[in-house]
Structures are given as structure tokens and as C-alpha cells.
Amino acid sequence: MKALVYGGPGLKSWTDVPDPKIENPTDVIVRVDTTTICGTDLHILKGDVPAVAVGRILGHEGVGTITEIGDSVSSLAVGDRVIISCIKSCGHCVNCSAQLFSHCLGDEGASGIGWVFGHLIDGTQAEFVRVPYAENSVHKLPEGVTDDQAVMLSDILPTGFEIGVQYGRVKPGDVVAVIGAGPVGLASIATAGLYGAATIIAIDLDENRLARAREFGATDVVVSGSADWKEQVLNLTDGAGVDVAIEAVGIPQTFTMATEIVRPGGNVANVGVHGAPVDLHLENLWIQNINISMGLVNANTTKMLLKLVAKGKLPAEKLATHHFTFDQFLDAYDTFGRAAETKALKVVIAR
């Protein structure tokens, strides 16, 4: 089969590799029908995730059809159309029992690390993929949900909702600011209303992305390159600051921005993947009684979000802005890597 293989920082290739095989009785093999590229894949290619070995097949998002099942798999069958979750779940360890799938203690990849696809084991940017702990790590698709919608449920929709909205403790009537209107930021914007946010402010350098943010539920937008960006945000809160500031970029400047606009007693939810240290100004923050949260998605809300997508309650398909075939994988990476220029949100790659 062919797959997108990591060759070290800055190096990747769409090349021939061996087909995956069932290794454990809880495995399934999935023919990948649709996949996509995540900002985390770009971090890997920059060398920000040294645990990714040269030769690893990248990708942790995908929708496909089961072609083979392990001997212990009883609730799935060949031919089932499924979403591949970006997070493994053995289903029985103490962390999985607590819905903390991001720290599944199953030994696939590494014990205690839930994100294994395209990280510690071969991923989904391939024609076929082996899925461990399959009965807990894939979700059967109902009729009527398209691949464009479904692939957004592998990672970005649950990430934006769980790590942004839930960890940020959004509650009815809140003013929420989302810094970074990329795919995960838009997922936070789209799901903040589920918990009753009254005002949702999108903050970004890119005016095109801010225009798109309104389509996902942003009530207000602020261009972060403006000299008075902070004053614009505070003016939308009567000067008090936002109840919840969601950081969805992953650079020191945007994390600092989040801490500058949150009100006393508010919440800063860091969703972005950081490749460099961030200064935490406790000398200023300690007196403000704010909560700072961060984390890796557990994907424990995927089933619920899938129901909302199936009923047209979440506009998942709007995240798909560019489409490619598998033999255009390198073009897809180029387009996604130049998102500011190409106006890409999520690039969808299908057979």
C-alpha cells in the first residue's frame, strides 16, 4: 500500500510500505476512505514531537471501512463504516474507566499515552491502518453522515469542545473569547453554544478566518494585529474581561494574550499544541483567582457530537475547504501548510 511517511524534520514522502496486519485479537484493519491533516502533523514535521520516529506513517484522523477483524472483536464486522478516533482506549484500565482515554494504560504504543496514531504507531494517512482496541477506538457511522462531516469527529470537534469548552468551564451567559480561528478554534466556537455562551469573540490575524468564524457562531470578531485589539475585547465585556479565554494557536504570544483578557475568577483553556516554553507571569496572575487548564483530547464526547452532526446541529462539513485524492497527498500538505495564503481550514484527502 501507499502511505505518507515521516523522514525526519522537514521530510515526508508518499511511498510504498507493507500492508498492516492484525497483531492482537482486539485489532481491526480499516481501509481508509477519507483522512485529513492536522496542525499537529505540521508540528511533527517541524521536529516539535521528537517521539515520532523516522519511518512512521503520519496521521491520526480518518474514516473508513473495516476489512478484517481480530478474533476477540464481536461488536464490529467487515464492511462497517467507522470513524477512527485519534485516541486509543483499552476500555478497562483505571484511566479509561474514568473517561481519561488520553492516558489509557494499555500497552499499545506506550502505557499512559492515548495518542498513538501517527505518533507511536503507524497512522491514518495511508490506504489501510491497523486500529488497536478497536471496539473502544472506532465509532460506527449512521446513514446520512458524510465522510467530510465524519472525519472532523476524529479529532478537532472533540478537541475544541472538550479541551476548550468543557475544560474552560463555559456556562450559560458567559462571554467566551477564542484566540485562533483555525480548525480547532472554530470547533470551540461551534460548540461553545452547547453550554450557553452568550457572546463568542473570535480573535485572529486573518480576516478571512474571522469571516468564517461568524459562520460557526462567533458573535464578534477582533483582528489581533490591531494596536487596540485588547481594548476591543474588553469593550465587549464592559471592561471586566472575558469569562473564558480559549487559546487555540500554540505559541507563547497567544497564551499571554489569553491571560491578559480573562476576568478575575475566569478560566483560561489552552488547546494549542506548544512547541516552545511559555512564560507564566504568576507575579501578576496569582491575585486574579483564575483557573488555567490544558490537555490532550479524551474523545469521550465523540458519540454525543456525532449525534449532533447527524441531526444537523453542528456544521462539521463547513470545516472542509479543500479536497484532494490520495495521489495528491503532497499537494494537500502544501495547501494546508500555506493556510493563510490558500484560505484552507481542513483539507480532505479521499480515495
Side-chain angles (χ1 to χ4, degrees), residues 80-244:
D80 283 348
R81 184 166 161 256
V82 295
I83 298 169
I84 302 165
S85 175
C86 65
I87 300 295
K88 74 176 183 184
S89 169
C90 71
H92 60 261
C93 73
V94 64
N95 288 340
C96 285
S97 296
Q99 298 279 294
L100 194 64
F101 303 143
S102 58
H103 294 282
C104 169
L105 295 171
D107 58 7
E108 187 72 46
S111 178
I113 298 177
W115 169 41
V116 293
F117 288 119
H119 178 206
L120 303 177
I121 69 172
D122 286 335
T124 58
Q125 291 174 6
E127 293 180 316
F128 294 87
V129 63
R130 179 181 70 89
V131 180
Y133 311 123
E135 291 184 310
N136 302 308
S137 303
V138 303
H139 303 277
K140 287 198 244 187
L141 275 174
E143 290 294 326
V145 176
T146 68
D147 281 15
D148 277 15
Q149 294 171 314
V151 77
M152 306 307 167
L153 288 156
S154 283
D155 180 359
I156 60 168
L157 272 174
T159 294
F161 179 55
E162 293 172 23
I163 309 304
V165 177
Q166 289 189 326
Y167 276 35
R169 306 180 187 181
V170 175
K171 60 186 184 301
D174 272 357
V175 178
V176 177
V178 179
I179 302 172
V184 173
L186 293 173
S188 293
I189 289 168
T191 55
L194 298 177
Y195 280 8
T199 301
I200 304 172
I201 307 165
I203 306 171
D204 202 287
L205 286 168
D206 189 331
E207 294 193 34
N208 171 66
R209 287 195 164 184
L210 291 176
R212 296 302 302 269
R214 290 192 181 276
E215 299 176 26
F216 287 85
T219 58
D220 300 272
V221 299
V222 171
V223 178
S224 54
S226 302
D228 65 341
W229 73 269
K230 183 177 176 181
E231 288 72 23
Q232 290 184 51
V233 173
L234 294 179
N235 286 340
L236 293 168
T237 70
D238 294 325
V242 302
D243 298 289
V244 183

Side-chain angles (χ1 to χ4, degrees), residues 231-305:
E231 288 72 23
Q232 290 184 51
V233 173
L234 294 179
N235 286 340
L236 293 168
T237 70
D238 294 325
V242 302
D243 298 289
V244 183
I246 298 174
E247 194 284 336
V249 180
I251 60 174
Q253 296 93 320
T254 48
F255 179 83
T256 298
M257 288 169 66
T259 65
E260 289 177 346
I261 59 174
V262 67
R263 68 165 179 81
N267 297 275
V268 173
N270 183 90
V271 186
V273 176
H274 289 265
V278 173
D279 290 331
L280 183 63
H281 290 285
L282 287 176
E283 74 279 10
N284 299 323
L285 295 173
W286 73 272
I287 204 171
Q288 296 186 43
N289 294 69
I290 63 171
N291 298 291
I292 299 175
S293 62
M294 63 201 74
L296 175 63
V297 64
N298 290 301
N300 62 327
T301 65
T302 304
K303 288 181 181 178
M304 179 273 288
L305 294 170

Side-chain angles (χ1 to χ4, degrees), residues 4-14 40-50 52-56 58 330 333-334:
L4 197 288
V5 177
Y6 176 62
L11 301 174
K12 61 187 180 299
S13 60
W14 177 248
T40 304
D41 297 318
L42 300 185
H43 278 285
I44 291 170
L45 286 166
K46 290 176 184 175
D48 289 344
V49 189
V52 179
V54 171
R56 177 69 63 223
L58 296 185
L330 297 181
Y333 260 94
D334 177 65

